[in-house]
Each structure stands twice: as structure tokens, then as C-alpha cells.
Amino acid sequence: MNRAGWRIVLAALAGIAAELAGLALIGTAAWLITRAAEQPPLAALTVAIVGVRAFATSKGVLRYAERLTGHDVALRAQATTRERLYQALIPAGAPGQKGADLLSRMVDDTDAVQDLLVRGVLPAIAALVTGLAAVVLGLFLLPAAALVLLAGLLVAGLVLPAGLTALTRRRAARLAPARAELATRVADLLHGAADLAAYGAGDRALAAAAEADARLAALERGQARTSALATCLGVLTQGLTTAAVVLVAQEAGAGSVATAVLALTSLVSFEPLLPMIGAAERMTGVSAALRRLREVRATPPAVTEPARPAAVPGGPLTVEVEDLVVRHAADRAPALNGVSLTLTPGKRVAVVGPSGAGKSTLLSALMRLVEPESGTIRISGTTAGGAASGGGAGADGAGGAGEEASSPGPGGAAGRGVDLRDLPSDEARRIMTGLTQDPYVFQASFRDNLRLAGPEAGEEALAEAVRRARLERWVERTGWDTVLGEDGRTVSGGQLQRLALARALLNDPPVLLLDEPAEALDEETADALMGDLLDATRGRTTLLVTHRLRGLEEVDEIVVLENGSVVQRGTHRELVETPGYYRDLWRSEAMVSRR
């Protein structure tokens, strides 16, 4: 049994011991009071007096231990569930689910794990053992009374919870989605307030949120009414069973001492069971919440991790993409269809093409965010002399041969480098990463937002990244500790992209990937950013995805994608002299700039 299993056993034993101590306390106290009324010698009561004190003290200690161990187990299980959920969401996320719904699953649904243990499994074990102990005591004192007690315990512990579960199952299964819907509506109101106001849609959005709130409130009121009725029936069962036990004891002539012990023991034996009635209603909702969590965790991983990870080659790296095919869905055309290119150390390659051509998909494949259908991406290092092993030296992919800088891993033949699929996805992103298309700004200071790319970076490294991204004036004006608004609401588009560029430069990966750095910027800002970006990447191995052609005369090679295939490649000068997409787009940009 692993450590988590032992913690659960310890928590269950603590709960059982606490309930048994309470049962023993009441039983012993009942015997002591009724026996003392008979005025026996004090010596006859000494053991009972000591027992009452011991049970009273131990009950409090054991109850504390039960709460401590039980919540420790529950919180650890909840943390493990959240960690597994994070792993299912990162890096590709859960498609088809909105952020507010995911937040609901992350918070409300994972709380179900805590409820399952603290309010369900552990108390049920303690209630079962306590009920059995009370019945065994009844069998010892008066078997007929024990049978009555057993019947009452079965009604309160099984019949009522089962009936409550049957009544509330459909409603409880709708509670978690209703909470998620309300969270989504509220998030839309908060984040889309400006757009809703601009188009006069605020009233409709408020009405939709109010409807979602009303549906959730109706479900919760129904649950509360049913739970209250079941709890009332449980208390009634407790009272009727205790009265029946007393009547049976009196009919059997059990005597005042035995009758008192049977009555109070029967009364107390229901105490652990009554919460189980409400817990049964809660467990129905818990099962729905756990099912929603399983839906996220059951999402197939975007990429398959290697069983035997390969070692990363040493030295400056060469990246060879050969006949790469990526398909996002089996019934759709390939997003990339036979793409090949080579990135040698220090080489800058730009990838251009219309929207939907597969540019961002290429970067996703390089960062191991999608799984190729066929083709290879190989990473090779250099020998001590600096020659690339298996990597190309130019645009055509031809290069000098050399020895592998590290031993080949599974799937990587010596002299050809390591297949990217043989590297852990985290290691692949350590090698190739950079500026994403939609950089995110956290509700944190500028310094912390920048340090996301380099947690251990010192002040000098931070300042250098800011300087190279041309952000020093902004930092001087606002300060390093200025809190940036969530989602970059307090940051302009140009500042956001420059912050993302500073992160990429601070991270300093061997191969820098830049995805549409000038997207959604005005012409002047985009031109300035592209100029600074090309200056900052001089001498760095870089793959730049862009729809803007200005400044691309500085890169070593340009690859033109259309419909997932390479239709042109060459230098800027070569492509502007060749009929095709690139020359047409270049002439269009030139006409716009002259206006």
C-alpha cells in the first residue's frame, strides 16, 4: 500500500475510534447514572467513573485527530486531482470548453473530491462500524431490542439515503453544468462589457445571466427541500427506533440499568448515520462533478511522450523539417502537407502565406503541441569543429556530415540527429520556443510578467531583455513594479508584443520561434516592432512567421506556404522577381505605403 493509502486508513481509524469513544461514553454514563441511583458501594462505580472520564477525554482528542487526518487526506487528494487536471490542460488545453467552464471544473468540481472523502467515504465507514458496535451491544443485553435497533439503522442508513439519491439524481446531475453556465455568463458580462455596451446587447446579456441564475437557484432550492425532508425523516426514525427499543426492553423486563443503556446507546448510534442522509444527496452532485473532471482528463493528449526519451544533442543546433504532414482532424485536409525546411545555427528563416496556410501549425509542430501524421523533425548538434551533424547548411537542406554530439536516442540514427518525437515535449519547448501569437499578461507586476520566461534571471538580464525589446522608456515611466491588468487591458498592442519579445529574448532558447509578432498593430507600430525584432535576432537561429514582408530582405531564406504546402522559397530578392504570391503581396504593400 502506498503512502496515500496509509493516510486514508489512518483517517478512517481515527474516525471510527472517535465515534466508538462517543458511543462508549454514552453507554457507560447511562450505566453509571442508573446504577448510582440504586446507591451501591462507591467501589462498584469506580471503574465506570474512570471510564466516563477516559472516554470523554479521548473523544475530544480522537475527534480532533479524525478531523486533522481526514482533511489532510481530502486536501491532498484534491491537490492531486487539480495537478492531474492541469496536466490534462497543458499545453494544448481542453478544446470546446470555455475558460469560465474550466474554472468551474477547476474550483467547484475539484471540491467534490474533498466532499467525497470528508463527507462521504470516511464518515460512512465510521457510521457503519459504530452501528455494528451498537447492535452487538444490544445483542449482548437484549437480542430483541438489538433487532429493532438494526431495523431502524437500516432505514436511516440505507433506505432514506437511497430514496433521496433516487429523487435528486436528475436534478443533481444538472447542478454542475448550471453553475458552469452561470460562471460563463458572468465572465462574458465582465470581460465583454465594452462590446456589449457598444452594440446595445447589455440588457440581453444581463437577462441571459439572470435566467441562468434563476435556473441554478431553482435547482438548489429543490435540492434543499428534498434534503430537509429526508433529514426530518431520519430524525423521526431515530426517535421512533429509540422509543421502540425502550418498549421492547420494558416488555422483556430488562431492568432500569439495561433499559437506560439500550435507550441511550440506540439514540447515539444514529448520530453518525444522520449526516449520511444529507451526504447521499451531496454524493449525487459529487458523482456528476467527478464525471465532468473525467471528461477533461479523458481528452486525448495532443502529443505522445516517448517511452525512452533521447538525449538532446550538444553544441549549436540544426533543425531539419522533412516532408512534414500535420492533420488536425481525420476528415479534414492536411494543415501541413509535405513541408520541408532547414534551420542551421544562426540562420533566420521567415514563413509567409495567407491565413490558414499552416504557418502557426508549423510552429506548433516544432514546439510539440501537435502530433505530425508523417514526416520528421530532427535536431542535430555540432562536432567540436563546428560542422552540423546531419543538418543542412542552406535553404536546400544539404549540409556537411559530422559525428553526433550526443548518443542517438530511440528513433534517431547516428549522424542524422534526434527525432523531435523522441524528446520529452518540455525539452522540445526548451529548445524551440519564443513569441506566441496571443501573448498573455498576468495580473502581476511588469517584473513578474517578464520573469515568467526566466524565474532565476537577475536584474541585469531583465534590463538587457527590456533594452533589446525597446521597452526601457516605458519601464522608466511606469516602473518595474507596476501591476499590469489582467489580459493586458492596461497595455497597448505594441507594448504587449514588445513585452512578449522581451520574454522570448530573456528565455534565450537555442531556436527562437516568432509567431505573427506584428499582428493587429497599426502600420507605424508594426514597422517599428519588426525593425527592432530583426535587429534583436541578428545572428540567432530564428523562425519568423509573419504576414508582413517589410524587412524580410534581411533574413536568410523565405518560405511561402499556401494550403499547407511550400509553393515558393528563396531570398527576398529572388522572390520579388518571381511571379507568385510573394511578389503580389509585396506589390500590394508597396502600393499601400505610397498612398
Side-chain angles (χ1 to χ4, degrees):
M1 186 182 298
N2 58 20
R3 186 173 298 179
W6 283 114
R7 288 195 183 100
I8 293 175
V9 171
L10 181 61
L13 290 177
I16 292 170
E19 296 296 346
L20 290 179
L23 185 67
L25 172 62
I26 295 301
T28 306
W31 185 92
L32 177 61
I33 293 171
T34 52
R35 186 72 178 90
E38 298 174 353
Q39 298 183 349
L42 184 60
L45 306 176
T46 303
V47 174
I49 293 172
V50 173
V52 168
R53 291 175 178 175
F55 291 135
T57 303
S58 61
K59 180 183 178 182
V61 174
L62 290 170
R63 180 65 67 198
Y64 175 79
E66 181 257 338
R67 291 286 187 267
L68 183 64
T69 55
H71 281 81
D72 177 68
V73 168
L75 292 173
R76 287 177 184 273
Q78 186 181 38
T80 301
T81 301
R82 282 210 174 103
E83 181 181 356
R84 290 174 179 173
L85 194 59
Y86 289 142
Q87 292 172 348
L89 295 175
I90 297 173
Q97 296 164 350
K98 290 188 176 181
D101 178 53
L102 285 176
L103 181 62
S104 177
R105 296 179 192 233
M106 189 68 68
V107 178
D108 293 337
D109 292 352
T110 52
D111 284 343
V113 177
Q114 183 177 345
D115 288 340
L116 177 64
L117 290 171
V118 174
R119 299 184 184 180
V121 176
L122 297 178
I125 294 173
L128 175 63
V129 175
T130 303
L132 288 175
V135 171
V136 170
L137 178 61
L139 287 172
F140 178 76
L141 295 176
L142 185 63
L147 293 177
V148 173
L149 175 59
L150 178 61
L153 292 174
L154 289 175
V155 170
L158 292 179
V159 176
L160 289 179
L164 179 61
T165 300
L167 287 173
T168 61
R169 179 178 289 115
R170 181 177 298 178
R171 188 186 298 116
R174 291 155 53 194
L175 270 174
R179 292 193 182 100
E181 181 187 2
L182 180 59
T184 300
R185 297 290 185 186
V186 173
D188 288 343
L189 283 172
L190 290 175
H191 297 298
D195 291 326
L196 291 172
Y199 294 101
D203 291 340
R204 293 197 300 274
L206 282 171
E211 289 177 7
D213 180 63
R215 284 192 294 270
L216 177 60
L219 289 171
E220 290 178 337
R221 281 195 300 269
Q223 288 286 84
R225 284 193 296 267
T226 306
S227 180
L229 177 61
T231 302
C232 179
L233 292 176
V235 174
L236 181 61
T237 302
Q238 180 187 31
L240 292 176
T241 301
T242 302
V245 167
V246 172
L247 290 175
V248 169
Q250 289 179 343
E251 289 291 330
S256 59
V257 174
T259 301
V261 171
L262 284 170
L264 291 179
T265 300
S266 300
L267 189 67
V268 172
S269 64
F270 279 84
E271 294 301 322
L273 280 179
L274 292 180
M276 293 294 98
I277 299 174
E281 174 259 333
R282 176 59 180 157
M283 289 307 105
T284 307
V286 166
S287 64
L290 294 178
R291 185 165 56 252
R292 281 161 48 83
L293 292 178
R294 285 195 295 270
E295 289 175 1
V296 177
R297 291 177 54 189
T299 303
V303 294
T304 303
E305 297 293 338
R308 294 175 53 233
V312 179
L317 301 178
T318 293
V319 180
E320 264 192 301
V321 180
E322 184 178 351
D323 294 329
L324 191 66
V325 177
V326 176
R327 194 188 304 268
H328 293 304
D331 57 346
R332 294 172 60 183
L336 293 177
N337 191 11
V339 173
S340 299
L341 60 86
T342 302
L343 285 168
T344 52
K347 181 180 180 181
R348 294 188 295 180
V349 175
V351 179
V352 301
S355 297
K359 305 185 298 294
S360 295
T361 301
L362 174 60
L363 295 189
S364 296
L366 290 171
M367 290 191 289
R368 289 283 287 152
L369 298 178
V370 296
E371 196 76 70
E373 180 179 289
S374 62
T376 59
I377 302 174
R378 291 192 175 276
I379 311 293
S380 56
T382 59
T383 62
S389 62
D396 58 357
E403 295 182 2
E404 186 74 37
S406 63
S407 59
R416 294 198 60 200
V418 176
D419 194 313
L420 191 65
R421 286 171 291 193
D422 291 330
L423 296 177
S425 55
D426 288 342
E427 192 66 26
R429 285 185 285 277
R430 186 191 66 78
I431 295 172
M432 292 184 286
T433 189
L435 193 155
T436 58
Q437 190 168 358
D438 297 308
Y440 188 83
V441 174
F442 293 86
Q443 183 76 22
S445 68
F446 177 87
R447 177 185 281 104
D448 290 339
N449 268 280
L450 181 56
R451 264 210 176 110
L452 175 71
E456 306 300 327
E459 294 298 323
E460 291 186 7
L462 295 176
E464 176 64 14
V466 165
R467 184 192 65 77
R468 296 179 66 185
R470 304 291 176 89
L471 277 174
E472 61 267 37
R473 290 186 180 178
W474 182 40
V475 175
E476 290 173 1
R477 185 171 64 253
T478 60
W480 285 91
D481 296 319
T482 299
V483 176
L484 306 182
E486 184 182 2
D487 290 338
R489 292 173 181 268
T490 62
V491 180
S492 70
Q495 290 169 337
L496 176 60
Q497 293 298 94
R498 288 183 183 276
L499 172 59
L501 176 59
R503 282 177 179 168
L505 296 175
L506 180 65
N507 185 260
D508 194 25
V511 179
L512 183 63
L513 306 180
L514 303 172
D515 191 4
E516 297 284 9
E519 181 74 12
L521 300 181
D522 61 84
E523 291 293 320
E524 183 179 353
T525 303
D527 288 342
L529 177 63
M530 286 295 293
D532 292 339
L533 186 149
L534 290 168
D535 182 63
T537 58
R538 201 178 305 278
R540 297 179 59 96
T541 308
T542 307
L543 183 64
L544 168 65
V545 165
T546 181
H547 65 282
R548 299 178 58 83
L549 307 187
R550 295 182 189 177
L552 295 191
E553 59 272 12
E554 297 186 29
V555 303
D556 300 297
E557 183 185 19
I558 300 168
V559 176
V560 182
L561 290 181
E562 284 192 79
N563 297 321
S565 300
V566 177
V567 295
Q568 289 181 293
R569 68 170 70 229
T571 64
H572 172 77
R573 176 176 295 181
E574 293 169 347
L575 293 179
V576 295
E577 294 175 355
T578 305
Y581 173 86
Y582 190 90
R583 188 172 74 175
D584 295 342
L585 184 59
W586 173 256
R587 289 178 175 177
S588 298
E589 286 191 5
M591 291 176 62
V592 171
S593 63
R594 286 197 294 266
R595 290 179 181 177

